[in-house]
Amino acid sequence: MKNLYIFIVVLFIPWSFSLAKYDEFEDGDDIMEYDDNDFAEFEDVSEDAVTESPQRIITTEDDEEEATVELEGQDENQEDFDDADTQEGDTESEPYDDEEFEGYEEKPDASHSKNKDPITIVNVPAHLQNSWESYYMEILMVTGLLAYIMNYIIGKNKNNRLAHAWFNTHRELLESNFALVGDDGTNKEATSTGKLNQENEHIYNLWCSGRVCCEGMLIQLKFLKRQDLLNVLARMMRPASDQVQIKVTMNDEDMDTYVFAVGTRKALVRLQKEMQDLSEFCSDKPKSGAKYGLPDSLAILSEMGEVTEGMMDAKMIHFLTHYADKIDSVQFSDQFSGPKLMQEEGQLTKLPETKKTLLFTFNVPGSGNTSPKDMESLLPLMSMVIYSIDKAKKFRLNREGKQKADKNRARVEENFLKLTHVQRQEAAQSRREEKKRAEKERIMNEEDPEKQRRLEEAALRREQKKLEKKQMKMKQIKVKAM
Amino acid sequence: MAVIPGPPNQHPLPGTPADPRDPLPGTPADPRTPTPTPLYKPPATETNPALEDPTPDYMNLLGMVFSMCGLMLKLKWCAWIAVYCSFISFANSRSSEDTKQMMSSFMLSISAVVMSYLQNPQPMSPPW
């Protein structure tokens, strides 16, 4: 808006300038040569004839290439000047006679009336004005682009620095616990690259493997999109923080069957809605962990009370209470299959594959304004992860718990099967029809007529048998019903 | 599957409990295993395409639409917005994505701006 005002002011200045000049002409006080009018000397000077004013070229600036501004009634002023000049020239020696000016006075009246005609000033096209100010929108755009590029470079570097600070802090702990630290999947053999894998300007991955109990651990550093200016501006409205997501895939024999989660209430509510396993096995609302000495900010979602009892040992409680502000959610699940898949009913024919997983989501302190030093405060959380891996291996449900867990899983499977019963029936039906069709085709394609007859008879016999079986079943059902 | 010959760390005293080169992996002293480690699998984005951030794809498409508008309808502001969209798409893109796609949308938006100004050198008028 400021630029708009400047622009308007800039336009006003030459316009008012030209207006002022016309005032001068009308007053006739300063009888000066109007320098800008190059054609003044060629003007036909006659008092009587009021010729049509030829086109005048007035340049608002000295540059000759400027566009024309057309004016009507401008000639009268020139004629006045010229009249005055000639009159001055003629009657230099004599005093002015009133008579001589009689006719002249009419002229000013006539010229006045003519001056009442509207003066149309055509706008000078901006690109001919030859001033940078008229291109202010373009300058704005380019400035915006430059700002975006600067922010991209700064944001990218900051994320990079944060990622490497995190890795340097955690490298020792990881290397002492895992044989393979860092693998980008390009080599067929498992070789440790010892480096973070950059997926994006704000996402860094690290795959660690080679430890007892677990198949592997994938660490994702999900930073804020500092490289995108739009995101930076959006974050000014809604603060968010960087996250570290750790997903440990356990070996099948190293974890018992249970589903358990602890974290901030908000995060748990969201996870319960989104995650397949939490929604199916943990039907209750998140419970407060105050019973175990956890701070109020944390809540617990569990499949059964025994799991909670087993998980909440002293060390775990210590970890959770001390680092409660950094913990977003912790999820141990043997039925982990990721978030609920939004699929159409017809596509769901099989339960999604499940893996025994431990999931950790940590918030980096600083709420967006993190510095590399903050990464050191996440080191104890990594120790918690390692401890949890060992604990998950050691923790076993007792007989009751195991029975309950098995019952739960059977129930979930049954529900799923019921839901998909119709689809499976349809699938089976279509499969049977396909088989029949294939057989018929085979029979048709058989060249030997004998073979054809034999195959047809075999098919007929099979169908008869099936019909008999069905009839027997129906009879049995009827008998039972009676 | 190849067996890793040994832990990569160097330790001066072999045979002590704290030695990572302990021949019995899996003991409390060395939680690491020499068993073959599974190769890195790409993270959940492959299995959950819905979780992927759609911003770069949307911005790419938007940029192309705006640059076509700017070229066809000779609207300067369309061309400028196309340039912005292609920049945003580039900033949000994944490293695995094709750079050719990025470059092509970027070039298209730049050409839209240049063509609009060649055809009509007037400065852009604000829409208000």
Side-chain angles (χ1 to χ4, degrees), chain A residues 115-133:
Chain A
N115 278 340
K116 281 181 194 153
D117 294 341
I119 297 171
T120 56
I121 300 171
V122 174
N123 266 333
V124 178
H127 72 287
L128 297 172
Q129 276 181 14
N130 206 31
S131 76
W132 287 113
E133 291 153 342

Side-chain angles (χ1 to χ4, degrees), chain A residues 31 89 103 126 197 200 208 230 237 267 286 289 294 334 361 372 380 384 392 408 441 454 468:
Chain A
I31 302 171
N197 182 28
N200 223 332
C208 304
L230 286 183
M237 319 282 177
L294 293 178
D334 75 309
T361 309
M384 177 174 123
N408 278 339
E441 263 201 60
R454 255 183 281 150
E468 281 179 21

Side-chain angles (χ1 to χ4, degrees), chain A residues 37-215:
Chain A
N37 190 346
D38 293 327
F39 296 151
E41 50 196 1
F42 301 114
E43 194 50 40
D44 224 5
V45 182
S46 58
E47 292 183 34
D48 302 324
V50 181
T51 54
E52 264 193 72
S53 46
Q55 307 228 338
R56 294 278 157 180
I57 299 173
I58 294 178
T59 54
T60 53
E61 290 176 44
D62 290 333
D63 198 346
E64 283 186 355
E65 286 175 359
E66 297 303 344
T68 65
V69 176
E70 291 181 351
L71 290 164
E72 286 179 39
Q74 210 252 313
D75 248 345
E76 286 73 15
N77 300 322
Q78 282 308 310
E79 283 177 24
D80 292 344
F81 268 130
D82 294 335
D83 289 338
D85 280 345
T86 48
Q87 281 193 345
E88 263 189 335
D90 289 342
T91 59
E92 248 178 341
S93 48
E94 291 173 45
Y96 288 136
D97 240 351
D98 281 339
E99 287 179 350
E100 286 192 16
F101 286 105
E102 272 175 39
Y104 184 67
E105 285 200 21
E106 286 171 11
K107 280 269 172 66
D109 293 333
S111 64
H112 266 299
S113 64
K114 285 225 171 81
N115 278 340
K116 281 181 194 153
D117 294 341
I119 297 171
T120 56
I121 300 171
V122 174
N123 266 333
V124 178
H127 72 287
L128 297 172
Q129 276 181 14
N130 206 31
S131 76
W132 287 113
E133 291 153 342
S134 52
Y135 284 91
Y136 73 98
M137 282 296 284
E138 281 76 13
I139 293 172
L140 264 176
M141 288 292 192
V142 172
T143 319
L145 272 178
L146 284 173
Y148 193 91
I149 293 172
M150 290 297 297
N151 178 71
Y152 174 79
I153 295 172
I154 294 172
K156 186 170 90 130
N157 286 337
K158 172 133 197 216
N159 277 347
N160 211 356
R161 266 183 295 132
L162 286 174
H164 283 94
W166 181 92
F167 188 52
N168 290 333
T169 327
H170 289 73
R171 185 199 291 263
E172 216 182 293
L173 180 64
L174 288 172
E175 281 184 351
S176 65
N177 273 294
F178 291 91
L180 173 78
V181 173
D183 180 8
D184 52 9
T186 49
N187 305 331
K188 281 213 181 132
E189 289 178 11
T191 44
S192 182
T193 60
K195 272 191 293 189
L196 289 168
N197 182 28
Q198 185 175 2
E199 186 186 308
N200 223 332
E201 301 298 344
H202 62 283
I203 298 183
Y204 291 80
N205 294 334
L206 186 69
W207 172 255
C208 304
S209 191
R211 191 181 199 278
V212 291
C213 347
C214 66
E215 204 179 289

Side-chain angles (χ1 to χ4, degrees), chain A residues 134-136 138 141 144-145 148 175 177-178 183 188 190 198-200 205 207 209-212 225 227-228 230, chain B residues 26 31-33 37-41 48 53 83-84 87-88 90-93 95 117 121-124 126 128:
Chain A
S134 52
Y135 284 91
Y136 73 98
E138 281 76 13
M141 288 292 192
L145 272 178
Y148 193 91
E175 281 184 351
N177 273 294
F178 291 91
D183 180 8
K188 281 213 181 132
Q198 185 175 2
E199 186 186 308
N200 223 332
N205 294 334
W207 172 255
S209 191
R211 191 181 199 278
V212 291
K225 284 189 185 176
Q227 78 275 11
D228 182 15
L230 286 183
Chain B
R32 298 179 296 176
T33 60
T37 54
L39 278 176
Y40 174 78
K41 289 160 207 146
N48 292 318
D53 182 23
V83 175
Y84 270 98
F87 265 96
I88 294 172
F90 170 72
N92 284 308
S93 67
S95 61
Y117 278 95
Q122 278 186 20
M124 189 163 60
W128 53 84

